[in-house]
Amino acid sequence: MTRVRLIIIVLILSGIALSGALFAVDETEFAVITRFGEIQHVEYSPGLKVKTPFIDRVIRLDNRLLHIDVPTATMPDVQKQNLEIDAYVRYRIIDPEKFLRRLVSELTAASRLGNIVISEIREEVARSTRSTIIGGESKETTDPETGEITRTVTPLITRAEMMDRVLQRSDQAVQSTENDFGVTIVDVRIKAADFPQATEESVFTRMRTEREVQATRLRYEGQRQSLTIHADVDRQVAIILAEAERDANLLRGEGEAEAIRLLASALENDPEFFAFRRSLQAYEAFLATNTTVVLSADSDLFKFIQPPRGQTE
């Protein structure tokens, strides 16, 4: 009975020792074996590995791309206009031993690497214009017919070039002799570049003022064109009326001249007819007003209303 118990105890202890000596390494990680805080070796390949039980400790590090959200920071551009820059960093661990000795953990790495990258971004932003940082050049075009303003943003290659320079300098900094963190920075990108909250209202006010100036200019331009069109129409109307009056006067004069010519011709042919016509005009003048006229019976005015000679009334 005692032997059986001894065997069971040995088996249990062997199982515990074996479980403490074996560990698995995943393909997405490094396994760093430490003993009393000192690094013994690093397991790079996946599979089942062996260590000294109860003494050795396994520290697992991710061998994939790691992400750092850099804290948003306010930075002045080349025109001394502050912008809030929100960026991120992607890095990879290439030397687990150096990483553990220099940075200890991913949390510390996020802080140290983030500070280095934000410093490089700050330096690059200080040499760049706002359009370069934002990544596009804004242009406004005005439709000549409707007056509608259209804003277009043309992408700039300089934004990508700026971030490439930040990436190169940041990677050199983390792999320099001074730092030598055992990592490589793979990518650095600006997620957003905005005005600080304190200056947004002043920016919006300036934008509203610019729009009001444009609107006023367009209204004045419309009024000027309206006055020009009305003046041109009025001028054309005056010209048309003057030409019509001129043509009417010419036709009226030609008609009167023709009437005078015909009348003169008639008088030359029959003077008696002229005297008859003048008498009719005189009759029309005084008979229409019921005027009493006392004239001699022998007056020439009545000779055309008297019966013909040789004929009695």
Side-chain angles (χ1 to χ4, degrees):
M1 190 67 179
T2 305
R3 178 179 295 181
V4 173
R5 289 181 179 177
L6 182 60
I7 294 173
I8 292 174
I9 293 172
V10 171
L11 291 175
I12 291 174
L13 293 176
S14 300
I16 295 173
L18 185 62
S19 64
L22 299 177
F23 66 95
V25 179
D26 191 79
E27 61 182 4
T28 63
E29 63 187 11
F30 302 119
V32 181
I33 312 302
T34 63
R35 181 178 299 168
F36 305 115
E38 293 293 329
I39 298 176
Q40 300 301 309
H41 64 278
V42 179
E43 297 289 349
Y44 292 93
S45 59
L48 192 64
K49 308 297 179 180
V50 179
K51 67 179 180 65
T52 304
F54 310 114
I55 300 177
D56 292 346
R57 177 169 169 259
V58 179
I59 300 176
R60 303 177 186 274
L61 298 175
D62 203 325
N63 61 14
R64 296 172 294 183
L65 283 178
L66 300 175
H67 181 87
I68 300 175
D69 279 320
V70 179
T72 303
T74 302
M75 307 176 187
D77 61 7
V78 70
Q79 298 173 343
K80 307 303 179 183
Q81 295 181 343
N82 289 332
L83 292 173
E84 285 190 352
I85 305 298
D86 185 11
Y88 70 86
V89 182
R90 291 188 182 277
Y91 73 97
R92 188 192 303 275
I93 300 173
I94 57 176
D95 191 330
E97 292 188 33
K98 292 180 179 179
F99 181 85
L100 285 177
R101 289 193 179 98
R102 295 281 186 170
L103 301 175
V104 180
S105 67
E106 293 183 10
L107 184 62
T108 307
S111 176
R112 296 285 299 276
L113 298 180
N115 289 337
I116 291 174
V117 171
I118 206 68
S119 175
E120 297 297 338
I121 293 177
R122 187 185 302 277
E123 181 180 348
E124 194 66 34
V125 167
R127 295 198 297 261
S128 304
T129 61
R130 187 175 59 188
S131 61
T132 302
I133 298 167
I134 294 175
E137 183 177 8
S138 178
K139 295 182 180 179
E140 289 186 353
T141 56
T142 303
D143 192 324
E145 297 181 356
T146 63
E148 183 179 356
I149 299 176
T150 304
R151 182 186 292 271
T152 57
V153 177
T154 304
L156 296 177
I157 304 176
T158 50
R159 166 72 173 268
E161 294 175 347
M162 182 181 76
M163 299 315 298
D164 287 341
R165 290 192 294 270
V166 171
L167 172 61
Q168 183 179 2
R169 291 202 302 269
S170 300
D171 191 47
Q172 290 175 352
V174 299
Q175 297 189 47
S176 64
T177 306
E178 179 183 357
N179 295 318
D180 197 13
F181 293 143
V183 301
T184 180
I185 295 181
V186 178
D187 191 21
V188 178
R189 286 289 181 269
I190 292 177
K191 293 190 293 185
D194 300 318
F195 288 104
Q197 189 68 29
T199 60
E200 278 188 0
E201 187 59 33
S202 62
V203 172
F204 291 152
T205 301
R206 180 175 59 82
M207 293 174 64
R208 283 193 293 268
T209 302
E210 291 177 354
R211 294 299 180 272
E212 290 174 358
V213 170
Q214 292 178 352
T216 302
R217 178 178 58 80
L218 291 175
R219 280 195 294 268
Y220 285 156
E221 183 67 19
Q223 292 177 359
R224 185 185 66 80
Q225 293 181 1
S226 176
L227 293 175
T228 301
I229 293 172
H230 279 85
D232 186 62
V233 171
D234 292 341
R235 180 180 61 81
Q236 293 181 10
V237 169
I239 292 174
I240 292 172
L241 291 176
E243 291 178 349
E245 184 68 21
R246 180 200 62 191
D247 294 341
N249 291 332
L250 289 175
L251 293 174
R252 191 180 297 111
E254 291 176 356
E256 291 177 355
E258 183 66 15
I260 293 173
R261 187 186 65 77
L262 293 175
L263 181 59
S265 178
L267 291 176
E268 290 178 358
N269 295 331
D270 191 355
E272 191 69 18
F273 173 74
F274 175 73
F276 174 71
R277 183 173 178 276
R278 296 286 296 189
S279 298
L280 292 179
Q281 292 176 347
Y283 298 156
E284 182 179 5
F286 69 79
L287 292 178
T289 59
N290 295 323
T291 303
T292 301
V293 180
V294 179
L295 297 172
S296 172
D298 297 332
S299 175
D300 292 337
L301 187 60
F302 296 109
K303 68 179 181 178
F304 294 107
I305 59 176
Q306 293 178 357
R309 295 177 182 180
Q311 186 178 359
T312 62
E313 298 180 358

